Amino acid sequence: MPLPDEHPAHDGITRRRMLYGAAAAGAAALLPVPSAHAAPGRKRKVAVLGGGMSGLAAAHELVERGFDVTVFERKALGGKARSIPVEGTGKGGRKDLPGEHGFRFFPGFYRNVPDSMRRTPFPGNANGVHDNMFPLSSTRISRNGGRSDIIVPELTGPDGGGLDLAVLAETLTGLVEQAGALPPEEIGLFVNRFIVYVTSSEERRLGQWENVTWWDYVQAEGKSEDYRAIVARFLTRGLVAVKEKVASTKTVGAMGQAFLLSGIGLGADGGLARMLNAPTNEAWIDPWVSHLRDRGVRFEVGQTVEALEIASGRVRSVRLVDAAGRRRSAAADWFVSAMPVERARALLSPAVLALDPGLESIKDLHTEWMNGLQFFLRRTPDGIPEEVNFMDSPWQLTAVLQSKLWDRDIPAEYGDGNVLDSLSLDISDWDTPGIVYGKPAKQCSPAQVAEEAWAQMKDHLEDTGRSVLPDDLVHSWFLDPAISWDASAGRNSNAEPLMVNTVGSWAKRPHPRTEIPNLFMAGDYVRTGVDLATMEGANESGRAAVNALLDAADSPAEQVQVWPLYQPPELDGLKEIDARRFQAGQPNLFDTK
């Protein structure tokens, strides 16, 4: 069911098919042709403004439908998903060590991104880049304060053979501790809140839960510390990088439902979660860009979009500036803005807003920080599986151990030959004071960020007396260069923040099709079924922008397939009841708490 105020996809015979059918019958001369349409024999030009996830997805779909596509990118193709080589670290013919904006994690409910990956060739892979993903087989949910961790599902010894009784014992102990940490009434409360959400109609999700914070929805105030840590903080900051006291319940609930359903094989492209078998650029971005170039897409990197130039009620051209300050204009028939929200705001000139005043609400969207930090290691540490969630860390750290994911010989291929492994972190909370300096990450120098993150991991992994991360393990570290330290101000800035879904933010997010006839919006902040700033949401928005462009261009090309989040049909009846109850001003049938 399309959400209210969305532009639903057209079914059956569309206007453009009628027009082209008439043309085939000899009546094309009677049909008005918009001024932006190209002359006969010339491909219509599309300027894609931004080469991140949404821009690459849009370019992919457009070039396959016969458009002449140029992508203008300010910094680097791939956006927040790209690898970032650590310059100067490669020695003896090796490549530079691979840094990341943050490690790549593909939940099973992603379906739009996997489709693009299947259609991107990769040597030796039957399913293209898609075959470079593989299921995450082990994760550790780590607690501090001497509490046992939960390690699932990998219970084998380090050589992969036989049952590791110590790991099994710790996992069982951790499960019992987690179950015992929450009072029965709090467990019942959370189960009730989850049932209320999954049986809520789309009307209630948008009309009620969009305007309620997750903290209030799960009634975290006054509950036990473990309830607040697990149900409120971990399910928001740890999994979807939003803050529980400002995040929309519509968003957090939708992601929780999607994770649960994909875990039991419903609406999923793969298992619960997948990872890449190599650095992101090698496994995905570089092959994608190469494929698009082969199809005819032109990429102009180092070109910052400075302004949309308006004439006759349309976008005539974009003004570009390069690193040397040289300016020029680039004209096109159609324009897809695929830049992140903080950069798209800069294009909202009075001339643009005069044509579409609704775009001004983009300025009210909120961003937070979620950036990567890599520790390059001299040895592979014991006791760390593929992925670790540091549940009680103030900075809400998650990490992956690359040697257990990549099919690469790290010391032979990267760095100076002394780096045997990489522990790649995502820092999801930059506003909570840490345990070493008592300052939030925003107020720590890069060296302090690294020291603090290392200490928070040790606080979880070494709280029972074992040694997992001895300090001599660290060869070097690399912080996402989007983070810039101002020593005089004692603060960091972030050139690549992440849009987060706060209560009521849905109404402020733009549609893919604007009121400007030849301007379309893509990006993880645009309204999509994946109601979260993710690779999947960005990819879906690129597809939606192309579909809107096809409609506006009266193109005969087939619309791009878009996969919505899976909704179990078994719940349709309860949702229909809830829709009637919501319209009548009544609570959800199960909302008794």
PDB file of all heavy atoms in Angstrom, residues 492-513:
ATOM      1  N   ASN A 492      35.626  18.716  16.660  1.00  0.00           N
ATOM      2  CA  ASN A 492      35.680  18.155  15.315  1.00  0.00           C
ATOM      3  C   ASN A 492      34.536  18.711  14.481  1.00  0.00           C
ATOM      4  O   ASN A 492      33.487  19.115  15.010  1.00  0.00           O
ATOM      5  CB  ASN A 492      35.539  16.624  15.364  1.00  0.00           C
ATOM      6  CG  ASN A 492      36.780  15.940  15.886  1.00  0.00           C
ATOM      7  OD1 ASN A 492      37.861  16.088  15.324  1.00  0.00           O
ATOM      8  ND2 ASN A 492      36.636  15.182  16.973  1.00  0.00           N
ATOM      9  N   SER A 493      34.730  18.706  13.171  1.00  0.00           N
ATOM     10  CA  SER A 493      33.637  18.914  12.233  1.00  0.00           C
ATOM     11  C   SER A 493      33.532  17.656  11.378  1.00  0.00           C
ATOM     12  O   SER A 493      34.454  16.845  11.332  1.00  0.00           O
ATOM     13  CB  SER A 493      33.884  20.143  11.358  1.00  0.00           C
ATOM     14  OG  SER A 493      35.085  20.005  10.620  1.00  0.00           O
ATOM     15  N   ASN A 494      32.402  17.512  10.714  1.00  0.00           N
ATOM     16  CA  ASN A 494      32.161  16.302   9.931  1.00  0.00           C
ATOM     17  C   ASN A 494      31.627  16.701   8.564  1.00  0.00           C
ATOM     18  O   ASN A 494      30.536  17.263   8.454  1.00  0.00           O
ATOM     19  CB  ASN A 494      31.153  15.398  10.645  1.00  0.00           C
ATOM     20  CG  ASN A 494      31.009  14.039   9.973  1.00  0.00           C
ATOM     21  OD1 ASN A 494      31.497  13.812   8.882  1.00  0.00           O
ATOM     22  ND2 ASN A 494      30.323  13.130  10.646  1.00  0.00           N
ATOM     23  N   ALA A 495      32.399  16.430   7.525  1.00  0.00           N
ATOM     24  CA  ALA A 495      31.995  16.781   6.171  1.00  0.00           C
ATOM     25  C   ALA A 495      30.980  15.816   5.593  1.00  0.00           C
ATOM     26  O   ALA A 495      30.391  16.100   4.536  1.00  0.00           O
ATOM     27  CB  ALA A 495      33.222  16.830   5.256  1.00  0.00           C
ATOM     28  N   GLU A 496      30.748  14.681   6.253  1.00  0.00           N
ATOM     29  CA  GLU A 496      29.829  13.682   5.717  1.00  0.00           C
ATOM     30  C   GLU A 496      28.938  13.122   6.819  1.00  0.00           C
ATOM     31  O   GLU A 496      29.042  11.954   7.195  1.00  0.00           O
ATOM     32  CB  GLU A 496      30.606  12.557   5.024  1.00  0.00           C
ATOM     33  CG  GLU A 496      31.429  13.038   3.840  1.00  0.00           C
ATOM     34  CD  GLU A 496      32.145  11.903   3.118  1.00  0.00           C
ATOM     35  OE1 GLU A 496      31.716  10.741   3.268  1.00  0.00           O
ATOM     36  OE2 GLU A 496      33.129  12.173   2.415  1.00  0.00           O
ATOM     37  N   PRO A 497      28.032  13.942   7.370  1.00  0.00           N
ATOM     38  CA  PRO A 497      27.109  13.442   8.378  1.00  0.00           C
ATOM     39  C   PRO A 497      26.027  12.579   7.732  1.00  0.00           C
ATOM     40  O   PRO A 497      25.966  12.431   6.511  1.00  0.00           O
ATOM     41  CB  PRO A 497      26.520  14.718   8.984  1.00  0.00           C
ATOM     42  CG  PRO A 497      26.557  15.698   7.850  1.00  0.00           C
ATOM     43  CD  PRO A 497      27.805  15.368   7.068  1.00  0.00           C
ATOM     44  N   LEU A 498      25.162  12.032   8.568  1.00  0.00           N
ATOM     45  CA  LEU A 498      24.124  11.111   8.121  1.00  0.00           C
ATOM     46  C   LEU A 498      22.768  11.656   8.523  1.00  0.00           C
ATOM     47  O   LEU A 498      22.558  12.038   9.680  1.00  0.00           O
ATOM     48  CB  LEU A 498      24.343   9.739   8.759  1.00  0.00           C
ATOM     49  CG  LEU A 498      23.454   8.585   8.319  1.00  0.00           C
ATOM     50  CD1 LEU A 498      23.815   8.140   6.909  1.00  0.00           C
ATOM     51  CD2 LEU A 498      23.607   7.409   9.288  1.00  0.00           C
ATOM     52  N   MET A 499      21.841  11.741   7.569  1.00  0.00           N
ATOM     53  CA  MET A 499      20.487  12.156   7.909  1.00  0.00           C
ATOM     54  C   MET A 499      19.845  11.100   8.808  1.00  0.00           C
ATOM     55  O   MET A 499      19.945   9.908   8.533  1.00  0.00           O
ATOM     56  CB  MET A 499      19.650  12.321   6.633  1.00  0.00           C
ATOM     57  CG  MET A 499      18.352  13.136   6.819  1.00  0.00           C
ATOM     58  SD  MET A 499      16.971  12.253   7.596  1.00  0.00           S
ATOM     59  CE  MET A 499      16.495  11.090   6.324  1.00  0.00           C
ATOM     60  N   VAL A 500      19.221  11.544   9.906  1.00  0.00           N
ATOM     61  CA  VAL A 500      18.546  10.615  10.795  1.00  0.00           C
ATOM     62  C   VAL A 500      17.073  10.980  10.880  1.00  0.00           C
ATOM     63  O   VAL A 500      16.678  12.134  10.727  1.00  0.00           O
ATOM     64  CB  VAL A 500      19.179  10.606  12.207  1.00  0.00           C
ATOM     65  CG1 VAL A 500      20.605  10.104  12.163  1.00  0.00           C
ATOM     66  CG2 VAL A 500      19.107  11.985  12.843  1.00  0.00           C
ATOM     67  N   ASN A 501      16.275   9.950  11.125  1.00  0.00           N
ATOM     68  CA  ASN A 501      14.827  10.118  11.149  1.00  0.00           C
ATOM     69  C   ASN A 501      14.371  10.524  12.538  1.00  0.00           C
ATOM     70  O   ASN A 501      14.319   9.701  13.448  1.00  0.00           O
ATOM     71  CB  ASN A 501      14.151   8.812  10.735  1.00  0.00           C
ATOM     72  CG  ASN A 501      14.601   8.344   9.361  1.00  0.00           C
ATOM     73  OD1 ASN A 501      15.787   8.099   9.154  1.00  0.00           O
ATOM     74  ND2 ASN A 501      13.682   8.242   8.445  1.00  0.00           N
ATOM     75  N   THR A 502      14.041  11.768  12.694  1.00  0.00           N
ATOM     76  CA  THR A 502      13.490  12.262  13.951  1.00  0.00           C
ATOM     77  C   THR A 502      11.969  12.265  13.845  1.00  0.00           C
ATOM     78  O   THR A 502      11.396  12.129  12.759  1.00  0.00           O
ATOM     79  CB  THR A 502      13.991  13.681  14.238  1.00  0.00           C
ATOM     80  OG1 THR A 502      13.658  14.523  13.120  1.00  0.00           O
ATOM     81  CG2 THR A 502      15.502  13.697  14.424  1.00  0.00           C
ATOM     82  N   VAL A 503      11.302  12.422  14.988  1.00  0.00           N
ATOM     83  CA  VAL A 503       9.845  12.423  14.969  1.00  0.00           C
ATOM     84  C   VAL A 503       9.346  13.540  14.053  1.00  0.00           C
ATOM     85  O   VAL A 503       9.858  14.661  14.065  1.00  0.00           O
ATOM     86  CB  VAL A 503       9.261  12.596  16.389  1.00  0.00           C
ATOM     87  CG1 VAL A 503       9.509  11.361  17.233  1.00  0.00           C
ATOM     88  CG2 VAL A 503       9.834  13.823  17.076  1.00  0.00           C
ATOM     89  N   GLY A 504       8.378  13.198  13.237  1.00  0.00           N
ATOM     90  CA  GLY A 504       7.785  14.179  12.347  1.00  0.00           C
ATOM     91  C   GLY A 504       8.590  14.527  11.116  1.00  0.00           C
ATOM     92  O   GLY A 504       8.180  15.388  10.336  1.00  0.00           O
ATOM     93  N   SER A 505       9.715  13.850  10.891  1.00  0.00           N
ATOM     94  CA  SER A 505      10.574  14.246   9.770  1.00  0.00           C
ATOM     95  C   SER A 505      10.059  13.761   8.422  1.00  0.00           C
ATOM     96  O   SER A 505      10.471  14.281   7.378  1.00  0.00           O
ATOM     97  CB  SER A 505      12.010  13.740   9.990  1.00  0.00           C
ATOM     98  OG  SER A 505      12.042  12.331  10.065  1.00  0.00           O
ATOM     99  N   TRP A 506       9.178  12.771   8.407  1.00  0.00           N
ATOM    100  CA  TRP A 506       8.665  12.254   7.133  1.00  0.00           C
ATOM    101  C   TRP A 506       8.050  13.382   6.296  1.00  0.00           C
ATOM    102  O   TRP A 506       8.267  13.466   5.084  1.00  0.00           O
ATOM    103  CB  TRP A 506       7.645  11.151   7.380  1.00  0.00           C
ATOM    104  CG  TRP A 506       7.003  10.615   6.126  1.00  0.00           C
ATOM    105  CD1 TRP A 506       5.822  10.995   5.564  1.00  0.00           C
ATOM    106  CD2 TRP A 506       7.545   9.606   5.265  1.00  0.00           C
ATOM    107  NE1 TRP A 506       5.583  10.285   4.416  1.00  0.00           N
ATOM    108  CE2 TRP A 506       6.616   9.430   4.208  1.00  0.00           C
ATOM    109  CE3 TRP A 506       8.709   8.834   5.287  1.00  0.00           C
ATOM    110  CZ2 TRP A 506       6.816   8.504   3.184  1.00  0.00           C
ATOM    111  CZ3 TRP A 506       8.906   7.912   4.261  1.00  0.00           C
ATOM    112  CH2 TRP A 506       7.970   7.752   3.231  1.00  0.00           C
ATOM    113  N   ALA A 507       7.276  14.250   6.931  1.00  0.00           N
ATOM    114  CA  ALA A 507       6.594  15.328   6.206  1.00  0.00           C
ATOM    115  C   ALA A 507       7.574  16.321   5.606  1.00  0.00           C
ATOM    116  O   ALA A 507       7.224  17.052   4.671  1.00  0.00           O
ATOM    117  CB  ALA A 507       5.621  16.058   7.137  1.00  0.00           C
ATOM    118  N   LYS A 508       8.801  16.372   6.120  1.00  0.00           N
ATOM    119  CA  LYS A 508       9.789  17.334   5.637  1.00  0.00           C
ATOM    120  C   LYS A 508      10.655  16.772   4.513  1.00  0.00           C
ATOM    121  O   LYS A 508      11.414  17.511   3.888  1.00  0.00           O
ATOM    122  CB  LYS A 508      10.691  17.776   6.792  1.00  0.00           C
ATOM    123  CG  LYS A 508       9.924  18.417   7.949  1.00  0.00           C
ATOM    124  CD  LYS A 508      10.828  18.672   9.139  1.00  0.00           C
ATOM    125  CE  LYS A 508      10.044  19.252  10.302  1.00  0.00           C
ATOM    126  NZ  LYS A 508      10.875  19.453  11.509  1.00  0.00           N
ATOM    127  N   ARG A 509      10.545  15.495   4.273  1.00  0.00           N
ATOM    128  CA  ARG A 509      11.389  14.871   3.262  1.00  0.00           C
ATOM    129  C   ARG A 509      10.750  15.012   1.882  1.00  0.00           C
ATOM    130  O   ARG A 509       9.521  14.892   1.735  1.00  0.00           O
ATOM    131  CB  ARG A 509      11.613  13.394   3.621  1.00  0.00           C
ATOM    132  CG  ARG A 509      12.447  13.238   4.880  1.00  0.00           C
ATOM    133  CD  ARG A 509      12.325  11.863   5.489  1.00  0.00           C
ATOM    134  NE  ARG A 509      12.844  10.834   4.610  1.00  0.00           N
ATOM    135  CZ  ARG A 509      12.779   9.534   4.890  1.00  0.00           C
ATOM    136  NH1 ARG A 509      12.205   9.130   6.022  1.00  0.00           N
ATOM    137  NH2 ARG A 509      13.268   8.654   4.051  1.00  0.00           N
ATOM    138  N   PRO A 510      11.530  15.269   0.858  1.00  0.00           N
ATOM    139  CA  PRO A 510      10.959  15.528  -0.467  1.00  0.00           C
ATOM    140  C   PRO A 510      10.523  14.259  -1.189  1.00  0.00           C
ATOM    141  O   PRO A 510      11.024  13.167  -0.912  1.00  0.00           O
ATOM    142  CB  PRO A 510      12.111  16.202  -1.210  1.00  0.00           C
ATOM    143  CG  PRO A 510      13.338  15.604  -0.592  1.00  0.00           C
ATOM    144  CD  PRO A 510      13.002  15.413   0.863  1.00  0.00           C
ATOM    145  N   HIS A 511       9.593  14.430  -2.115  1.00  0.00           N
ATOM    146  CA  HIS A 511       9.255  13.379  -3.060  1.00  0.00           C
ATOM    147  C   HIS A 511      10.348  13.290  -4.119  1.00  0.00           C
ATOM    148  O   HIS A 511      11.065  14.267  -4.374  1.00  0.00           O
ATOM    149  CB  HIS A 511       7.933  13.695  -3.762  1.00  0.00           C
ATOM    150  CG  HIS A 511       6.738  13.649  -2.874  1.00  0.00           C
ATOM    151  ND1 HIS A 511       6.216  12.476  -2.379  1.00  0.00           N
ATOM    152  CD2 HIS A 511       5.944  14.646  -2.405  1.00  0.00           C
ATOM    153  CE1 HIS A 511       5.164  12.753  -1.638  1.00  0.00           C
ATOM    154  NE2 HIS A 511       4.971  14.056  -1.636  1.00  0.00           N
ATOM    155  N   PRO A 512      10.471  12.134  -4.775  1.00  0.00           N
ATOM    156  CA  PRO A 512      11.435  12.055  -5.896  1.00  0.00           C
ATOM    157  C   PRO A 512      11.108  13.043  -7.011  1.00  0.00           C
ATOM    158  O   PRO A 512      12.006  13.574  -7.647  1.00  0.00           O
ATOM    159  CB  PRO A 512      11.301  10.608  -6.370  1.00  0.00           C
ATOM    160  CG  PRO A 512      10.805   9.856  -5.164  1.00  0.00           C
ATOM    161  CD  PRO A 512       9.909  10.814  -4.443  1.00  0.00           C
ATOM    162  N   ARG A 513       9.820  13.305  -7.244  1.00  0.00           N
ATOM    163  CA  ARG A 513       9.438  14.246  -8.298  1.00  0.00           C
ATOM    164  C   ARG A 513       9.112  15.590  -7.671  1.00  0.00           C
ATOM    165  O   ARG A 513       8.252  15.685  -6.791  1.00  0.00           O
ATOM    166  CB  ARG A 513       8.241  13.715  -9.072  1.00  0.00           C
ATOM    167  CG  ARG A 513       7.867  14.594 -10.276  1.00  0.00           C
ATOM    168  CD  ARG A 513       6.877  13.909 -11.177  1.00  0.00           C
ATOM    169  NE  ARG A 513       6.644  14.691 -12.401  1.00  0.00           N
ATOM    170  CZ  ARG A 513       5.947  14.247 -13.451  1.00  0.00           C
ATOM    171  NH1 ARG A 513       5.421  13.027 -13.412  1.00  0.00           N
ATOM    172  NH2 ARG A 513       5.780  15.001 -14.512  1.00  0.00           N
TER     173      ARG A 513
END
